Amino acid sequence: SESEPTEREKSFAVQKLGSDFFKTKPIAKLLAKDIQAEHLTDDVLGRTLDALFEADVSILYQVIAEHVVEKLGKRAVKR
């Protein structure tokens, strides 16, 4: 029978995934010019997820959606 991964193994996997995943992404375009892939550690990602959980994520989604509609609406082709 397979055993469940330990908390240490999970933490290592998240850290490894984060560091490898973000190295190949355009972080400056996605987040901010002064943020680098090395800044996105498992601790940072965990704190961010905790903050999102504590915040009203519905409002965040609404603001993002409004921003996208505003930006795309200016460029949308009307039929």
Side-chain angles (χ1 to χ4, degrees):
S1 134
E2 292 185 30
S3 63
E4 292 291 318
T6 66
E7 289 302 313
R8 185 176 182 174
E9 289 168 332
K10 290 178 189 178
S11 177
F12 178 75
V14 169
Q15 184 177 12
K16 186 67 177 159
L17 171 66
S19 62
D20 288 346
F21 178 80
F22 290 111
K23 283 181 183 177
T24 61
K25 304 300 181 253
I27 300 301
K29 289 183 181 179
L30 293 172
L31 300 176
K33 291 181 181 180
D34 58 341
I35 296 180
Q36 300 171 3
E38 296 79 30
H39 297 144
L40 302 174
T41 65
D42 61 329
D43 290 334
V44 170
L45 296 174
R47 286 193 304 270
T48 301
L49 290 173
D50 288 343
L52 288 171
F53 180 79
E54 293 295 323
D56 187 351
V57 178
S58 298
I59 292 173
L60 175 62
Y61 289 150
Q62 180 68 32
V63 170
I64 291 170
E66 289 172 1
H67 184 73
V68 168
V69 168
E70 179 183 319
K71 292 293 182 184
L72 294 179
K74 292 179 181 178
R75 292 184 275 174
V77 176
K78 297 186 180 189
R79 296 178 186 204

